Amino acid sequence: MYAIAIDGPAGAGKSTIARRIASQLGWLYVDTGALYRAVGLSGLRRGVDTASREAILPLLPQIKVELCYRDGEQRVLLDGEDVSEAIRENPASMAASNVSAMQEVRDYLFDLQQQIAREHNVVMDGRDIGTVVLPQAQVKIFLTAAPEERARRRQRQLAEKGIQVDFNQLLEEVKQRDWQDSHRDAAPLRQAEDAILCDTTHLDLDQSVDQILQIVKERLS
């Protein structure tokens, strides 16, 4: 089986680009960040502090996270409920950053990610795919963009949903998430030594996809 690992900071466009890449290749797309968001959402719904290891770890045996595919689209189930939209809200995003810093949570989800990669050709995106989850991936991409550009993209996404959020607030959240992800003890965000850096600050979606597809073709040829 072949694997493409796409890592990078929040808001770099990993999920959108990885989904497009997988579609064009006819491979399976795996959004690993959605798994951590589901665990974080579970903590939020139970009213616990998602930054507290003592509060989160006892919940893990009670949490059931699954990925399923409907009409070719990945859906995330939390305890049997489709939470694919709920996990994209800002509170779930910050909760995901909190729980993903816990090694026990990473271990809990690691086996699921590995199993999927053993059974399918995959495009998998996250924070530590090329460094920890799929170090054997044939293609590794580190996707990034300037914090200001990532905040603008997030603001546009929310505006399309009728949600107005202050740009400076979003920029601060992006920078805070970057710091948390790169300074956590468990699998911090970093570029794998054999990953190719792709900066999409000045690229649109089509240009970004074309650039990565070219890299994939070169690496797999």
Side-chain angles (χ1 to χ4, degrees), residues 70-102:
R70 296 173 184 164
D71 301 323
E73 181 181 359
Q74 175 185 276
R75 307 298 293 179
V76 183
L77 304 182
L78 174 61
D79 301 327
E81 176 192 350
D82 189 335
V83 293
S84 303
E85 278 71 44
I87 61 173
R88 297 301 168 186
E89 297 175 1
N90 273 354
S93 178
M94 295 308 298
S97 183
N98 289 335
V99 301
S100 65
M102 303 174 193

Side-chain angles (χ1 to χ4, degrees), residues 205-216:
L205 176 58
D206 289 337
Q207 291 171 327
S208 300
V209 170
D210 288 344
Q211 183 183 70
I212 294 176
L213 277 174
Q214 184 59 40
I215 294 171
V216 171

Side-chain angles (χ1 to χ4, degrees), residues 146-201:
E148 292 77 10
E149 176 60 19
R150 289 185 277 137
R152 277 191 288 270
R153 292 173 183 175
R154 181 60 177 158
Q155 189 176 46
R156 286 197 297 268
Q157 289 174 344
L158 292 172
E160 290 172 358
K161 298 178 181 179
I163 304 172
Q164 301 301 320
V165 182
D166 179 69
F167 172 80
N168 290 326
Q169 176 188 336
L170 288 174
L171 179 59
E172 186 59 32
E173 289 177 356
V174 166
K175 292 180 177 179
Q176 180 184 357
R177 182 75 187 271
D178 286 353
W179 192 94
Q180 288 178 336
D181 289 346
S182 60
H183 287 78
R184 66 193 185 198
D185 293 331
L189 171 67
R190 64 180 178 82
Q191 181 178 339
E193 291 183 2
D194 54 346
I196 297 176
L197 178 66
C198 293
D199 190 326
T200 67
T201 301

Side-chain angles (χ1 to χ4, degrees), residues 2-173:
Y2 291 102
I4 298 172
I6 301 180
D7 291 310
K14 296 187 303 297
S15 297
T16 302
I17 291 172
R19 189 179 291 109
R20 286 273 295 270
I21 296 292
S23 176
Q24 293 202 33
L25 293 174
W27 292 11
L28 193 63
Y29 165 62
V30 182
D31 175 8
T32 61
L35 302 175
Y36 291 97
R37 288 171 178 266
V39 173
L41 178 63
S42 182
L44 290 175
R45 288 182 168 183
R46 286 172 164 84
V48 304
D49 179 1
T50 58
S52 168
R53 177 176 271 98
E54 291 73 19
I56 291 295
L57 297 191
L59 299 181
L60 292 181
Q62 309 170 38
I63 299 173
K64 184 179 182 182
V65 182
E66 301 170 277
L67 296 181
C68 68
Y69 295 86
R70 296 173 184 164
D71 301 323
E73 181 181 359
Q74 175 185 276
R75 307 298 293 179
V76 183
L77 304 182
L78 174 61
D79 301 327
E81 176 192 350
D82 189 335
V83 293
S84 303
E85 278 71 44
I87 61 173
R88 297 301 168 186
E89 297 175 1
N90 273 354
S93 178
M94 295 308 298
S97 183
N98 289 335
V99 301
S100 65
M102 303 174 193
Q103 186 60 52
E104 295 86 350
V105 175
R106 308 195 74 81
D107 292 342
Y108 167 73
L109 295 174
F110 181 81
D111 290 342
L112 174 59
Q113 298 168 44
Q114 288 261 308
Q115 178 184 346
I116 294 172
R118 283 194 298 268
E119 298 173 351
H120 305 273
N121 291 324
V122 297
V123 180
M124 192 176 293
D125 75 280
R127 301 291 189 280
D128 62 348
I129 307 307
T131 55
V132 177
V133 180
L134 298 178
Q136 77 281 9
Q138 289 84 0
V139 182
K140 298 179 185 179
I141 303 293
F142 192 84
L143 192 69
T144 190
E148 292 77 10
E149 176 60 19
R150 289 185 277 137
R152 277 191 288 270
R153 292 173 183 175
R154 181 60 177 158
Q155 189 176 46
R156 286 197 297 268
Q157 289 174 344
L158 292 172
E160 290 172 358
K161 298 178 181 179
I163 304 172
Q164 301 301 320
V165 182
D166 179 69
F167 172 80
N168 290 326
Q169 176 188 336
L170 288 174
L171 179 59
E172 186 59 32
E173 289 177 356

